[in-house]
Structure formats: structure tokens, C-alpha cells
Amino acid sequence: MSANAPLPLTLRTRLARFFAPFSLLFAPQMSSAARERRDMLVLLLAVTFVVVPHFEHLIWWATAVLVLLLIWRAFLTLTQRPTPSRLLMMPLLMAAGAAVYLQYRTVVGQQAGVTFLLLLMALKLLEMRARRDIFVVIFLSFFILLTQFLNGQEIHVAVMALMAVAALFFVLISVNLDDTDLPAGRKFKMVGLTLLKAIPLTAVLFVLFPRISGPLWGTPGDTTTGNTGLSNSMAPGSISRLLESGEIAFRVRFEGAPPSNDKLYWRGPVFGTFTGRAWGPLLQRQQDPPPISIKGDARSIVSYSVTLEPNNRDWLFALEAPVALPVLGDFSVRITPEMRIITSDLVRQRVRYDMRSYTSYRFNVEANESERRNWLDLPPTYNPRSLQLAEEIRSRSGNDADRVRATLDHLRRGGYAYTLSPPRLGRNSIDEFLFDTRQGYCEHYSSAFVFLMRALDVPARVVTGYQGGELNPVDGFITVRQSDAHAWSEVWLQGRGWVRVDPTAIVAPARIDQGASELARQSGITLPGGASSFTWLRSLRFNWEAVQNSWNQWVLSYSQDRQRDLLGLLGLTPNWESLALMLAVIVAIVLAAMAGISLRSRTERDPLGEAFRLLRDRLDRAGVTTAEHLGPRELYARSKRMLVPDDAKHARKLLSRIERMRYSRGSQDVVRADVRALRRAIREFRPRVGAA
């Protein structure tokens, strides 16, 4: 190797060079221009934390405009170019207002108002010229932070909000330093201490501030938004479209081992009216229905809790068949003659309820003839080939149970296939499915089966809901997604009542045994939130969903009922008066404690001076006479006379380091790590007295 060849760079040197621009960015700035540039970049970072959670709900063009404006502002800051003139800003402002109005036909309300505020903040960033403009953007950012929770309160939204608050406080501290700047570490420490002081008060307010029923925010017209999952009707393709959704419908936790997958039928809407293409709720009854009768096997009872996500519907989900109705503080609950659990209001926020269900039962065995006739109607002039098939089945079967078995046997032997992407059907959808395409999803099989049963004079109806679910081994919850949506059938049989019949299980038993997501994976289709072939991806998803679920259970599901239960555990009367008194007392105590901590007298620490005192103590214990007024050189002279030569030399090195760090020209470059290293060396120093 040549003598003039450059030495290879070590890893430490490479890392130092890579992070050098960042260290310059966060180091104390001497010039006001450098400080303003650094503060602007941190403010842009804070604004990014503010706006990113909104991207999921913003219209696409608003997201694109926000990104372009932020990049434009960052480019102007880094290149130190002037901001646009006011003559350009005014047309941009008018264009933003006009675009929002054309999109939403208003500039107020939830979506339009938030979009307009975000665009205004981005435009304000672009025209910032004075210090007061920074405060305007910061205060506007704090307000927009609140609007993040209009669309969701998930843990990632809370984390982004916390990061935005920390960055905004960092900028506030920086712009309020008039004379000298501080290192970034010192500012972050001040931000961290401020947030730590806020934690006790935040916790008290969260636990004791009166909880309200329903969402905190609401605007006219919001009642029709947020409808997710199943609907009040079923047509070919309506449920198969949900297969592409990995959105969580609800989570369930069983007491003990959960039932097998073939018993996990989560009952939802029940349909009895067929228009020829779509199924809907039973429109009218010939007379009032008889009281609901459920006779279950006590040995089959399972207990579980359900955490239902908001869906803007009025139904709850439970396993067939419920032992009793759940108790919800904010809703009254009833059960319909079709065994649907209905609430008194729409589910606009996450709700938790406890359930007990029979997995082996008989339902409405004593239904009279008038009630059974309600479930026999078919529209005329539709599906003639299916009606002819029903006559053929009738001719070779006896009672109703034989007709059910014969119809299922036809589906088993008729060359039918279960597909996750069924073909489109026309006017006679049942005929086209049974005789032409022979491919379908669960709604095709349940619809065709119920049609044939009614044509055979067997009372039948379509039941929709969810089937199965995915067990999360991390927290033990079963996650039921929209992709688990399912449709099955019920028929009424003499002596047995309403009996669940799932024709999909005849054609595709893997759908029931393994679930929709696993069946899709085997078919080469990747579902959002579904099963993955990679073990580490599944493990990562399970852990993240467990964290989300814990956030939902302990934070977002903290309701009026749980607040009242807490007061009861503390021995207080669970009413508003006790809650208000307890809140006032504890807030006063917390504020007094925080004031005492903040106002206590503080002494300015001198780490280097403390290290010097520690060395004087070591020398004093070794017999060297020391005093507060003695400097490093005088202490060395005394140490040389009293200590053994090696320890005297060691003392000289330590004292010389202190002298250089305190009095040399490079003393301003001393960092905390240098002082810590000096303290370690002093602690290891054990001076010994020399011979007399």
C-alpha cells in the first residue's frame, strides 16, 4: 500500500459524516437567519404530523395540494429564496375556497371545514414573513389537531398528535429565545418535562371528567356517514364485495376455549321478502307474531364479550342463540321474532357488551300455520326453470326434511363451484345461477336454496351476518372482519322449529372450517388484514392488532357505565354530584402539587465544578490539605509533596483536564460526555500517601 494512500474510513467516522448535517441543524445557532431557517424546518415537520392523519379522509386533490405546498415551503427555506408575493397569494386563497365550495357545496361543516382549514394553514406557511406568523400557524395547528379525532381515535392518530404537540412546543420554545439559542437536547428536555407535568392532570381528567353518551363532535348530515358492513338488503354480489374489506366488524373474547369454527355464526339481518333479484326484510305479516321461544341445551352455553365497532346501524351481533339480552347503559335492547338483537339507536361509537348463547337449541318449534305462511311468498313470473326444478324434487321426496336433503344433494352433485369473484346475473338470477353459471358466493347459494325451499312449500328465509373469525394468539381475542360476512338459510321443520342450513358448507366446506381469509389465500387472493404466507408478517400483524385492541378496550371504551362502576368501587354514590366533587378535589390536589414542583427554588448545576469538588474530596481523604479557594495548580503542588509519585502524576493529569475544560480557549466545546468521562476517572482514582 502506498504511503500516501488515504486510510480507510471507520464506521464511526462514516456515521459522523452522515449525521453532520443533522447535528448542524439542531446545534445552537448564532445567527438569527440560521435560527429562523431551523425553526421553519421543525415547524414544517410539526405541520406534517398534523396533516398526515387527515390524508385518509381528505379528497385526493386536497391531499395533493397540501403536499405540494409543504414541499414548496421546504424548498424556499432550504434554498433561502423569497416567499411568494401577496399578489400571488390572493388568487391561491380564492382558488382554495372555490375548490372546497365546488366539492362540498359549502365551506362549513365537518369535511368541508377541515379541508378549508388545512389549505389555509398551508397557504399561511407559504407566506410567512414575520414572527407573529409563526404563532398563527402554531395556534392553528393546535386547533386542527382536535379535528383529527372527528374521523377516528385510533392509537396511531394519538401518537401522531403527541409527536405534533412535541414539535410545536419545540418551535414555541425556540422562537421565544430572544438573545441566545440553546442546544436541541436542552429544548427537547424542556418539552419532555412539560409533557410529563401534564400527564397527572390528563389522567385525572380522563378518568373523572363526566363522560357523555354519543360522539363529542357532530354536524348535520353526519348520521348517514360511516355505514359499514352488512346492509338491510341482499342482492347477488352484495356480500362478496365485502370480501375485499379487511375492516374489523367486532372483536370477541370467550370465557374459556372458544367453540369450533362451524359454530361461530354471528347472526345479523334476516330477510323474508324476495323481489326477484334482491332480498329484504319481511314487509308485512298476516298477523302478530307469536312470542319468541328458544329452548337451548344448558350444556352448550358459552359466555363471551363483544366489542362492536361503530357502523351506524341499529343491530348487535351475537352467536345463535342468545340466552338473554345484553345490558347497555346508552341503549335499550330488544329481540325481534326473527331472533335479531336490535338497539334503540344507531351504533355510532364503539360499544362493549357481555353475552351468553346456546350453540345447541330449538327455535320457535310451536310456530303456527299463519306465521309459517309469512315465509313462503315468491314473486310471480321470475325464475321459471327453478320452479320446474322444485317440482322435480317434490316428486321424488316425501316430507319437508326429505326435500331439504334432496335440494342439498342437488347442490352437492350438480357441478356447482364456490368462487370469490362470481359472475354477474340478470333478471332471473336464480335460474342463471342454478342452470348457467353454476358459480357463486355464499349469497348465491343461500338465495337459491331459500327460493327452492319456498317453491317446495317449506318455510324458509335468508340470514346474514358473519361466520368464523381469526383468533389472535397474542391477546386471545377473535377478530371478525367485514371479509367474514356470510349468508346462510333457515328452514322451519315440524318438531324442530327453525333450523340453520348453510348450503355453502355443502359446496365449499373449507369456507366454514377455515374461514374466508384462509380460503382466499389458498385461492391466491390477498385480503387486507387476511392470512399471510409469511410467519413473521402474521406475528407482526397479531401484535399490532393486540396493541390496537388494548387501546380500544382500556381507553376508547371507557364509558359512562365504567365510570359509574369506578365510583362504586371507591365507595361513592355513582351520580354526577359525587363525580364532580371528586374531580374538583383531585384536580385541586394535582394542580397544587404541580405548582409546588414548578415554583420550587432551583440551584444552577455546575457539572464540572461538582467533578472538581469530588477530586478535592479524594485528595483531602488521602491527607492533602485542600480548600475552596485553591486552584488546580496549587492542589497539584500539594499532592506532589504528599502522594506517591504515580498517584501524584495521576492527580496532575486530572487537575490539568479540569483546568483545560474550565479556562482554555476550547472550553466552550466541552460537552456533557467529556464531563461524565472525567467524573468516572475521578471515581476510579484512589490516591495513596507517600513515605514520610
Side-chain angles (χ1 to χ4, degrees), residues 214-284:
L216 178 63
W217 301 87
T219 56
D222 289 345
T223 57
T224 59
T225 61
N227 294 336
T228 59
L230 300 174
S231 65
N232 276 312
S233 64
M234 188 193 77
S238 61
I239 293 182
S240 58
R241 282 193 295 268
L242 292 177
L243 182 68
E244 301 175 0
S245 173
E247 186 177 353
I248 294 175
F250 53 90
R251 290 182 171 95
V252 185
R253 186 164 193 172
F254 285 90
E255 295 181 8
S260 57
N261 215 52
D262 62 331
K263 291 183 171 60
L264 296 181
Y265 281 83
W266 309 96
R267 193 181 186 93
V270 179
F271 303 132
T273 299
F274 187 47
T275 64
R277 176 171 178 80
W279 289 87
L282 189 65
L283 294 180
Q284 59 182 3

Side-chain angles (χ1 to χ4, degrees), residues 229-231 233-245 271 274 277-279 418-426 429-430 433 437 439-448 462 464 482-483 485-487:
L230 300 174
S231 65
S233 64
M234 188 193 77
S238 61
I239 293 182
S240 58
R241 282 193 295 268
L242 292 177
L243 182 68
E244 301 175 0
S245 173
F271 303 132
F274 187 47
R277 176 171 178 80
W279 289 87
Y418 182 81
T419 177
L420 303 178
S421 47
R424 296 174 62 88
L425 301 176
S429 58
I430 306 297
F433 165 65
T437 66
Q439 294 182 350
Y441 198 58
C442 59
E443 68 263 36
H444 298 80
Y445 287 99
S446 60
S447 177
V462 174
T464 59
Q482 298 297 346
S483 57
H486 191 56

Side-chain angles (χ1 to χ4, degrees), residues 243 261 418 420 441 467-471 479 481 483-484 508-535 538 541-542:
L243 182 68
N261 215 52
Y418 182 81
L420 303 178
Y441 198 58
Q467 198 284 322
E470 183 182 42
L471 178 65
T479 303
R481 306 178 189 277
S483 57
D484 294 312
R511 164 63 184 89
I512 309 304
D513 297 334
Q514 302 177 31
S517 60
E518 180 62 27
L519 187 63
R521 187 185 69 82
Q522 294 177 5
S523 303
I525 300 176
T526 303
L527 302 182
S532 171
S533 301
F534 299 100
T535 304
R538 290 171 60 90
R541 179 170 61 85
F542 283 142

Side-chain angles (χ1 to χ4, degrees), residues 147-203:
T147 67
Q148 293 181 0
F149 300 100
L150 292 172
N151 297 307
Q153 303 173 34
E154 291 79 7
I155 189 170
H156 69 273
V157 176
V159 170
M160 291 287 284
L162 183 61
M163 295 170 66
V165 168
L168 290 171
F169 268 99
F170 182 94
V171 179
L172 273 176
I173 292 173
S174 185
V175 298
N176 280 282
L177 293 173
D178 295 326
D179 300 326
T180 58
D181 197 14
L182 293 174
R186 180 77 178 275
K187 295 177 185 177
F188 280 126
K189 182 179 180 181
M190 296 172 67
V191 172
L193 290 176
T194 302
L195 296 179
L196 285 175
K197 291 177 182 177
I199 288 177
L201 185 60
T202 303

Side-chain angles (χ1 to χ4, degrees), residues 355-383:
M355 288 294 304
R356 299 174 70 233
S357 295
Y358 300 109
T359 57
S360 177
Y361 62 93
R362 291 191 174 186
F363 173 35
N364 277 7
V365 177
E366 296 83 9
N368 56 41
E369 183 180 356
S370 176
E371 169 65 14
R372 300 198 299 270
R373 280 201 301 268
N374 291 318
W375 309 98
L376 290 172
D377 288 341
L378 287 174
T381 71
Y382 281 89
N383 305 298

Side-chain angles (χ1 to χ4, degrees), residues 62-77:
T63 301
V65 170
L66 281 173
V67 172
L68 287 175
L69 291 176
L70 291 176
I71 293 175
W72 189 1
R73 177 71 246 201
F75 172 75
L76 295 178
T77 302

Side-chain angles (χ1 to χ4, degrees), residues 153 206 211 550-559 562:
Q153 303 173 34
F206 172 78
R211 316 293 292 185
S550 297
W551 173 262
N552 294 340
Q553 299 292 332
W554 295 103
V555 179
L556 301 186
S557 296
Y558 185 69
S559 60
R562 297 179 68 182

